[in-house]
């Protein structure tokens, strides 16, 4: 083989096969389009495409600034981007302060419910006061602009207050999901050198009390030299030890404050707002940094348009504040948009498996934003728990975190949404800060596709060298231009920032996912590049094989890995969870193998199938295939700090 041909075939072997095609389009209803804030998707895409910086500049004018920007976007140093350069602002002003001058002040900002039924709610006016009081208390503790606060809190309003109080003072929050072990917490505290740790005595989950303060004590006991103080919210009925001189009750420090006269730090638009460690399915967590100005504009505009928000919407995002979804779309986004947001502290299928639908009915939730893992869990319980409830307030559904397989998509659409609620399958990342590939509610949808890049975003599928691959061929998903909520660096590690995102493929932001574009220009995500299997020279993404399995009536969830094979190089092994009422058997194994071959063709055949009760997942619900693989091959599992169980 000539040198060049060899090279080209090597490059090709980096690409993935495309095995399935969904072509049915789900059109929005006429009434829906009439009422939508944006009526023409194509028009919005074309408008932003002409001048994406101008597009974001226009959007930014809807927010409040202490000083407007000189330049919308600038690449300060190669691959280091600044947005709204020269501006002065604070996201706190847009999330709370500006609403004090309008009728939004008296509207409910947060509805909180705790497992067991305890309820709390805050109007925008009340929340503003609480955040000012907390900011006053933080100042007395000695926090100042640029300091870091570690947050290890449940899904409660005090978490939102903490993040907003930090933002107000120009202090960076580093939220750590309150399900991580003390080791993971310790490493993240040390990574950010946090001065203060804020937590709750405990939280309720599936009828048990999770002892959060105890985990914090363990973390801090193990060499966290930067921590000076610990603030503790009295969230559940649980006695804890308070260390003299270090620990204080949230309720006690709040009592001392009036909330008057606490100045908001007016930040340079490019000052950092927070650090957030990625959940990491494949490698060691990275401290992603987002700035005030760009993040504020990107999150505000994407939430408002993608969920077509109206003043009377009741919005529920089932994520946790510990993830980027919680930061952008439970806390900052909904508050900037002035809507009512639900924070539920507990799990969606407890005490009964219809709890989630019960809550939607009671609060008349109109926008539900959740993850495929939860849709599949609910699907497992069947249609009956959903049908028991009046979900007629629902208008729009959302999905995030993993590819949503067409089977789960259709169930979500038909059974939950009653065939009238469009599904916004939003593709994005901790690093992107905001939705990147997503439909708008007026977009004709395809089950399982995140459709096209959001207006102003240029994405494509390329090979290793950055050359676009033809339509219908799989490759690396990349982003070709800058966007406002993009990460600005990795905490204390600009070198890793460049290597991870900008130096793998020339001149683009590398996402780390594989995917393809179909003949209508719709994008399909095939899974993380690191999980791709190489079967007889065909690179096959996990998503399609898992989807083919889930489309069998007996299967609710599947994780697929490649394992060494003497002839094919690798072969696929599937770990399958069965729906309630189905039994494992050799016949079922044969049926499932046939199902995969039938829907994907012989190259994607699954050689082995194992039935399992659970799959290893990150705490945010993504399947950790690397752990399945390590276990299968008897190799060390590596970093498991993000593993759920
Ligand atoms: O692989 C993609 C998957 O989740 C990754 C980002 O994970 P994280 O930073 O934890 O943020 C999750 C919440 C934004 C992506 O690289 N992912 C996220 N959304 C989707 C998705 N995969 C397919 N479809 C999606 N809608």
């Amino acid at each position: 083989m000539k040198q060049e041909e060899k090279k080209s075939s090597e490059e090709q072997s980096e690409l993935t096969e495309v095995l399935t095609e969904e072509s049915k389009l789900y059109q929005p209803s006429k009434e829906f389009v009439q009422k939508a804030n944006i009526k023409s998707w194509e028009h919005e895409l074309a408008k932003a495409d002409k001048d994406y910086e101008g597009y974001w500049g226009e959007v930014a004018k809807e927010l409040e600034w202490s000083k407007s920007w000189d330049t919308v976007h600038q690449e300060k140093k190669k691959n280091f981007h600044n947005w709204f350069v020269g501006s002065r602002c604070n996201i706190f002003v847009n999330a709370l302060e500006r609403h004090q001058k309008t009728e939004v002040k008296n509207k409910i900002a947060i509805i909180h419910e705790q497992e067991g039924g305890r309820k709390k709610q805050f109007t925008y006016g009340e929340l503003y006061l609480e955040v000012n009081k907390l900011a006053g208390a933080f100042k007395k503790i000695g926090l100042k602009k640029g300091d870091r606060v570690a947050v290890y809190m449940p899904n409660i309003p005090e978490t939102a207050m903490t993040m907003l109080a930090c933002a107000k003072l120009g202090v960076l929050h580093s939220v750590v999901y309150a399900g991580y072990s003390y080791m993971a917490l310790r490493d993240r505290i040390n990574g950010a050198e946090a001065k203060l740790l804020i937590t709750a005595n405990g939280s309720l989950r599936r009828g048990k009390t999770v002892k959060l303060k105890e985990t914090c004590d363990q973390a801090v006991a193990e060499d966290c030299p930067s921590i000076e103080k610990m603030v503790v919210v009295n969230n559940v009925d649980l006695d804890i030890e308070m260390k003299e001189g270090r620990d204080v009750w949230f309720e006690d420090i709040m009592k001392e404050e009036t909330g008057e006269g606490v100045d908001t730090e007016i930040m340079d638009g490019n000052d950092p707002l927070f650090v957030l460690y990625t959940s990491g399915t494949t490698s060691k967590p990275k401290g992603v940094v987002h700035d005030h100005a760009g993040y504020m504009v990107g999150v505000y505009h994407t939430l408002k348009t993608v969920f077509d928000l109206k003043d009377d919407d009741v919005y529920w995002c089932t994520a946790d504040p510990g993830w980027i979804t919680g930061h952008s779309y439970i806390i900052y986004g909904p508050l900037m948009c002035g809507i009512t947001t639900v924070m539920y502290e507990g799990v969606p299928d407890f005490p009964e498996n219809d709890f989630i639908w019960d809550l939607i009915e009671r609060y008349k939730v109109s926008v539900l934003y959740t993850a495929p893992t939860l849709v599949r869990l609910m699907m497992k319980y069947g249609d009956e728990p959903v049908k028991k409830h009046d979900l007629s307030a629902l208008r729009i559904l959302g999905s995030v975190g993993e590819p949503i397989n067409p089977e789960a998509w259709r169930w979500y659409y038909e059974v939950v949404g009653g065939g009238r609620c469009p599904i916004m399958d939003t593709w994005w990342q901790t690093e992107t800060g905001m939705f990147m590939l997503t439909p708008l509610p007026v977009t004709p949808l395809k089950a399982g596709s995140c459709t096209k890049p959001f207006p102003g975003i240029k994405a494509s599928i390329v090979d290793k060298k950055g050359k676009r691959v033809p339509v219908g061929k799989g490759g690396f998903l990349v982003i070709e231009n800058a966007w406002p909520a993009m990460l600005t660096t990795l905490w204390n590690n600009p070198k890793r920032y460049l290597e991870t995102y900008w130096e793998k493929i020339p001149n683009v932001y590398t996402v780390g996912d594989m995917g393809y574009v179909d003949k209508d220009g719709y994008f399909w995500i095939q899974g993380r590049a690191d999980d791709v299997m190489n079967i007889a020279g065909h690179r096959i993404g996990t998503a399609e094989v898992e989807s083919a399995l889930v489309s069998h009536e007996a299967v609710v969830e599947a994780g697929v890995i490649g394992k060494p094979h003497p002839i094919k190089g690798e072969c696929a092994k599937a770990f399958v969870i069965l729906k309630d009422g189905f039994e494992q058997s050799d016949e079922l194994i044969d049926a499932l193998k046939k199902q995969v071959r039938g829907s994907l063709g012989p190259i994607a055949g699954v050689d082995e199938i194992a039935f399992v009760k659970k799959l290893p997942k990150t705490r945010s619900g993504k399947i950790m295939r690397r752990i399945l693989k390590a276990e299968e091959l008897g190799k060390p599992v590596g970093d498991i700090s993000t593993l759920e169980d």
Side-chain angles (χ1 to χ4, degrees):
M1 205 189 277
K2 277 195 219 139
Q3 197 60 20
E4 246 166 46
E5 272 173 30
K6 186 164 169 240
K7 249 173 129 184
S8 137
S9 89
E10 266 169 20
E11 271 154 34
Q12 286 312 316
S13 73
E14 295 288 346
L15 304 178
T16 41
E17 302 284 336
V18 176
L19 305 168
T20 40
E21 197 187 308
E22 287 274 336
S23 49
K24 178 173 172 184
L25 283 174
Y26 292 76
Q27 300 288 352
S29 72
K30 271 210 187 99
E31 302 88 272
F32 200 98
V33 177
Q34 263 162 13
K35 289 189 198 147
N37 299 340
I38 290 177
K39 295 192 171 39
S40 165
W41 184 41
E42 287 77 14
H43 178 258
E44 195 71 11
L45 289 172
K47 183 171 83 179
D49 196 42
K50 260 193 234 143
D51 170 16
Y52 72 91
E53 290 173 348
Y55 178 81
W56 291 111
E58 274 308 304
V59 167
K61 289 182 191 158
E62 293 174 25
L63 294 170
E64 213 169 282
W65 303 81
S66 298
K67 178 186 171 290
S68 184
W69 52 94
D70 306 318
T71 315
V72 172
H73 163 243
Q74 195 179 39
E75 190 169 349
K76 261 226 155 131
K77 229 164 58 185
K78 191 164 165 56
N79 297 324
F80 287 89
H81 294 260
N82 282 357
W83 280 80
F84 305 103
V85 185
S87 69
R88 312 278 304 169
C89 61
N90 190 310
I91 197 167
F92 163 80
V93 171
N94 284 296
L96 285 177
E97 200 162 283
R98 70 180 178 133
H99 300 314
Q100 306 308 310
K101 295 173 270 182
T102 71
E103 67 261 35
V104 177
K105 183 178 176 185
N106 298 316
K107 187 170 166 177
I108 306 288
I110 296 177
I111 299 176
H112 169 253
E113 189 169 315
Q114 188 179 56
E115 199 171 276
R118 192 190 75 185
K119 299 178 182 73
K120 275 192 211 170
Q121 58 184 40
F122 295 86
T123 62
Y124 274 86
E126 288 162 347
L127 189 63
Y128 178 68
L129 178 65
E130 295 301 299
V131 172
N132 279 318
K133 281 165 45 181
L134 187 58
F138 278 170
K139 258 184 123 158
K140 282 196 193 135
I141 285 174
L143 291 181
K144 46 184 196 320
K145 183 177 168 185
D147 285 344
R148 274 85 54 204
V149 165
V151 183
Y152 190 74
M153 299 263 266
N155 195 7
I156 55 178
E158 289 80 356
T159 309
M161 290 170 197
T162 301
M163 291 162 73
L164 289 155
C166 286
K168 179 179 165 87
L169 300 178
V171 168
L172 284 75
H173 49 74
S174 168
V175 184
V176 181
Y177 174 67
Y180 276 137
S181 68
Y182 80 90
M183 281 104 70
L185 173 61
R186 175 199 60 203
D187 293 348
R188 286 160 174 77
I189 291 174
N190 287 339
E193 293 169 281
K195 247 185 169 170
L196 180 128
L197 172 58
I198 179 160
T199 188
N201 54 349
S203 175
L204 299 182
R205 200 180 158 86
R206 247 180 237 294
K208 295 210 178 81
T209 303
V210 187
K211 297 177 179 173
L212 301 178
K213 167 70 161 63
E214 204 174 280
T215 307
C216 290
D217 285 338
Q218 268 178 304
V220 173
E222 283 220 1
D223 203 21
C224 281
S226 60
I227 293 291
E228 293 170 11
K229 279 257 177 267
M230 209 191 296
V231 175
V232 188
V233 177
N234 188 12
N235 185 50
V236 293
D237 194 12
L238 172 72
D239 287 336
I240 51 161
E241 273 180 39
M242 296 288 277
K243 187 171 167 189
E244 190 76 50
R246 186 196 67 188
D247 302 349
V248 287
W249 287 102
F250 181 92
E251 293 73 15
D252 288 345
I253 58 171
M254 290 292 268
K255 257 193 251 152
E256 313 270 303
E257 301 298 319
T258 61
E260 299 286 320
V262 189
D263 291 337
T264 301
E265 193 72 47
I266 297 305
M267 310 290 282
D268 182 291
N270 295 118
D271 280 336
L273 168 64
F274 64 82
V275 187
L276 178 60
Y277 285 86
T278 58
S279 54
T281 45
T282 49
S283 62
K284 221 176 144 55
K286 309 179 257 300
V288 169
V289 180
H290 286 285
D291 288 359
H292 272 256
Y295 178 78
M296 173 171 105
V297 174
V299 169
Y300 162 77
H301 179 64
T302 48
L303 183 66
K304 188 174 150 202
T305 46
V306 169
F307 288 121
D308 189 42
L309 292 180
K310 310 283 194 237
D311 285 345
D312 56 355
D313 268 324
V314 177
Y315 164 93
W316 183 22
C317 166
T318 66
D320 187 275
W323 315 125
I324 191 69
T325 311
H327 283 56
S328 299
Y329 300 117
I330 296 180
I331 295 171
Y332 288 117
L335 295 177
M336 281 193 282
C337 292
I339 55 161
T340 299
T341 182
V342 176
M343 294 176 93
Y344 178 65
E345 181 191 353
V347 292
D349 60 341
F350 182 89
E352 303 297 334
N353 65 17
D354 65 338
F355 183 82
I356 178 173
W357 317 121
D358 176 57
L359 194 137
I360 292 173
E361 180 176 3
R362 281 191 283 120
Y363 292 116
K364 299 196 167 46
V365 171
S366 53
V367 179
L368 173 69
Y369 187 34
T370 190
T373 178
L374 198 134
V375 175
R376 291 189 296 256
L377 175 71
M378 294 299 153
M379 221 172 127
K380 184 173 153 183
Y381 300 133
D383 300 1
E384 195 260 340
V386 188
K387 298 219 159 124
K388 272 196 338 221
H389 295 279
D390 174 9
L391 305 184
S392 58
L394 279 177
R395 272 189 332 112
I396 299 187
L397 302 172
S399 172
V400 60
E402 276 183 297
I404 179 162
N405 36 291
E407 200 63 19
W409 194 100
R410 280 188 281 268
W411 185 83
Y412 195 27
Y413 185 79
E414 298 294 347
V415 180
V416 178
R420 60 168 206 285
C421 308
I423 298 178
M424 300 299 102
D425 179 2
T426 59
W427 181 93
W428 61 295
Q429 308 177 295
T430 306
E431 292 86 342
T432 70
M434 63 181 220
F435 306 148
M436 297 296 280
L437 285 93
T438 171
L440 300 184
V442 295
T443 302
L445 304 171
K446 293 190 189 186
S449 165
C450 53
T451 74
K452 293 187 185 180
F454 186 84
I457 308 295
K458 297 180 206 292
S460 62
I461 304 292
V462 301
D463 64 18
K464 264 250 151 106
K465 287 199 165 152
K467 198 167 140 247
R468 282 198 186 194
V469 304
V471 164
K473 293 266 179 262
F476 299 90
L477 172 65
V478 296
I479 310 295
E480 295 175 331
N481 65 345
W483 65 97
M486 65 201 296
L487 81 165
T488 48
T489 188
L490 289 178
W491 185 254
N492 272 344
N493 206 343
K495 189 166 162 268
R496 191 169 175 207
Y497 161 81
L498 290 172
E499 286 165 2
T500 311
Y501 306 109
W502 301 99
E503 288 170 358
K504 291 202 167 129
I505 300 176
N507 305 320
V508 288
Y509 169 85
T510 301
V511 152
D513 286 6
M514 307 302 290
Y516 64 94
V517 180
D518 71 14
K519 59 180 184 340
D520 300 321
Y522 279 46
F523 284 70
W524 297 80
I525 307 297
Q526 297 174 304
R528 297 291 297 167
D530 301 314
D531 289 334
V532 165
M533 300 173 283
N534 193 336
I535 303 177
H538 301 284
R539 288 179 48 90
I540 295 176
T542 47
E544 283 165 293
V545 184
E546 289 163 5
S547 262
L549 287 160
V550 174
S551 64
H552 189 280
E553 57 166 1
V555 178
V556 71
E557 188 147 47
V560 173
I561 58 162
K563 60 181 278 189
H565 185 277
I567 298 161
K568 296 192 275 190
E570 268 193 326
C571 66
K573 171 158 185 177
F575 297 82
V576 166
I577 302 180
L578 293 180
K579 270 192 200 139
D580 291 351
F582 286 90
E583 293 290 323
Q584 59 187 69
S585 66
D586 289 345
E587 291 74 46
L588 183 56
I589 292 183
D590 285 344
L592 293 178
K593 286 183 176 174
K594 230 167 130 188
Q595 165 96 10
V596 176
R597 260 199 318 274
S599 38
L600 307 179
I603 53 165
V606 172
D607 284 39
E608 286 178 46
I609 293 182
F611 295 103
V612 291
K613 290 266 173 270
K614 263 183 145 181
L615 289 166
K617 287 191 181 166
T618 64
R619 289 163 190 279
S620 59
K622 295 185 211 294
I623 300 170
M624 290 180 87
R625 297 171 191 83
R626 129 179 113 72
I627 292 192
L628 287 173
K629 191 159 179 166
E631 294 250 296
E632 179 67 26
L633 305 181
K635 292 210 168 129
V637 287
D639 179 27
I640 51 163
S641 63
T642 60
L643 181 66
E644 161 99 56
D645 203 347

